[in-house]
């Protein structure tokens, strides 16, 4: 398995149909999606199961349930249950471009440690609001790129793809706010490419 996409789910029924309609058509034999139900009490998981059946993608989708322990615990549980060489995260109330998986797969190989990408902010109808630059600097000089990334200070997990070898158990600190900020910057010290 090349890529594991981890999706924490907590009461996002309002968005989950659109999320699945956006992501499921892109699934291929190199990709798995791991939904971690963090104690939802709405019908989010039932909707995921129905969409999975509609798209006949149950071989590429895992659903894991846990009592509500928060985003970090859900992500960590997804990491532990992933089989991909690379891991990325998506929030269940977001959606991705129609070339999301294809673009990731075409830009990672065994030598890539971390892939970072920019994003667009859209409203609930999918209308473009603004571009969100995670990285602005385009350079082969890693020091320049790191400087740019660290100065922008945007540490969102959902805009990165990680080589699983870099991620340790309980990577995201449980029970803490700003868990991305407490986790992501440390990875850059271990990245070569």
């Amino acid at each position: 398995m090349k890529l594991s996409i981890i999706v924490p789910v907590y009461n996002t029924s309002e968005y989950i149909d659109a999320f699945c309609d956006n992501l499921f058509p892109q699934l291929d034999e190199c990709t798995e999606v791991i939904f971690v139900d963090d104690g939802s009490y709405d019908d989010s998981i039932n909707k995921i199961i129905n969409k999975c059946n509609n798209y006949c993608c149950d071989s590429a989708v895992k659903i894991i349930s846990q009592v509500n322990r928060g985003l970090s615990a859900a992500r960590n549980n997804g990491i532990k249950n992933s089989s991909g060489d690379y891991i990325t995260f998506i929030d269940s109330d977001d959606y991705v471009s129609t070339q999301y998986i294809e673009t990731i797969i075409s830009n990672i190989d065994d030598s890539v440690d971390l892939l970072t990408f920019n994003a667009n902010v859209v409203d609930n109808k999918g209308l473009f609001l603004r571009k969100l630059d995670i990285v602005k600097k385009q350079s082969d000089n890693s020091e320049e790129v790191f400087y740019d990334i660290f100065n922008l200070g945007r540490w969102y997990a959902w805009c990165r793809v990680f080589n699983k070898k870099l991620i340790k158990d309980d990577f995201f600190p449980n029970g803490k706010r700003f868990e991305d900020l407490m986790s992501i910057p440390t990875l850059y010290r271990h990245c070569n490419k």
Side-chain angles (χ1 to χ4, degrees):
M1 184 70 53
K2 191 71 168 176
L3 179 66
S4 295
I5 301 171
I6 298 171
V7 185
V9 178
Y10 182 72
N11 296 335
T12 52
S13 177
E14 178 182 349
Y15 305 100
I16 207 70
D17 283 334
F19 177 92
C20 293
D21 288 338
N22 178 244
L23 186 64
F24 285 178
Q26 300 182 48
L27 292 178
D28 59 20
E29 67 281 347
C30 299
T31 308
E32 69 179 355
V33 180
I34 302 170
F35 290 96
V36 182
D37 176 15
D38 189 33
S40 292
Y41 51 83
D42 67 3
D43 63 345
S44 297
I45 298 306
N46 287 335
K47 286 184 173 186
I48 292 167
I49 292 167
N50 288 337
K51 288 292 181 177
C52 192
N53 291 335
N54 290 345
Y55 284 98
C56 300
C57 60
D58 36 347
S59 64
V61 174
K62 292 180 190 176
I63 299 173
I64 300 166
S65 294
Q66 65 182 35
V67 296
N68 180 254
R69 295 188 348 230
L71 181 61
S72 291
R75 285 177 175 170
N76 289 335
N77 198 352
I79 292 168
K80 288 176 189 163
N81 286 281
S82 65
S83 54
D85 299 325
Y86 288 85
I87 295 175
T88 192
F89 303 90
I90 308 175
D91 295 335
S92 59
D93 58 350
D94 291 342
Y95 73 96
V96 296
S97 75
T98 56
Q99 297 86 30
Y100 176 74
I101 291 173
E102 178 186 339
T103 301
I104 289 173
I105 296 293
S106 67
N107 281 285
I108 55 176
D109 59 44
D110 293 337
S111 67
V112 173
D113 293 320
L114 185 101
L115 176 67
T116 303
F117 45 88
N118 294 323
N120 291 326
V121 178
V122 298
D123 64 15
N124 285 344
K125 295 177 183 166
L127 298 174
F128 176 83
L129 298 176
R130 72 182 188 283
K131 186 174 179 184
L132 179 62
D133 287 326
I134 305 304
V135 96
K136 289 184 179 181
K137 189 75 166 179
Q138 300 296 319
S139 173
D140 291 332
N141 182 327
S142 61
E143 189 173 310
E144 288 179 10
V145 174
F146 287 163
Y147 185 78
D148 182 52
I149 289 169
F150 276 76
N151 277 334
L152 286 173
R154 295 183 172 145
W155 298 113
Y156 316 115
W158 50 258
C159 63
R160 291 175 169 86
V161 180
F162 309 92
N163 188 318
K164 189 175 180 181
K165 294 180 218 171
L166 297 176
I167 301 178
K168 308 289 184 237
D169 285 347
D170 295 323
F171 177 69
F172 293 99
N174 289 314
K176 303 288 184 191
R177 295 191 61 173
F178 307 108
E179 66 284 335
D180 295 352
L181 177 60
M182 298 175 75
S183 307
I184 307 299
T186 61
L187 283 182
Y188 280 87
R189 294 182 308 165
H190 306 292
C191 293
N192 294 314
K193 183 177 178 186

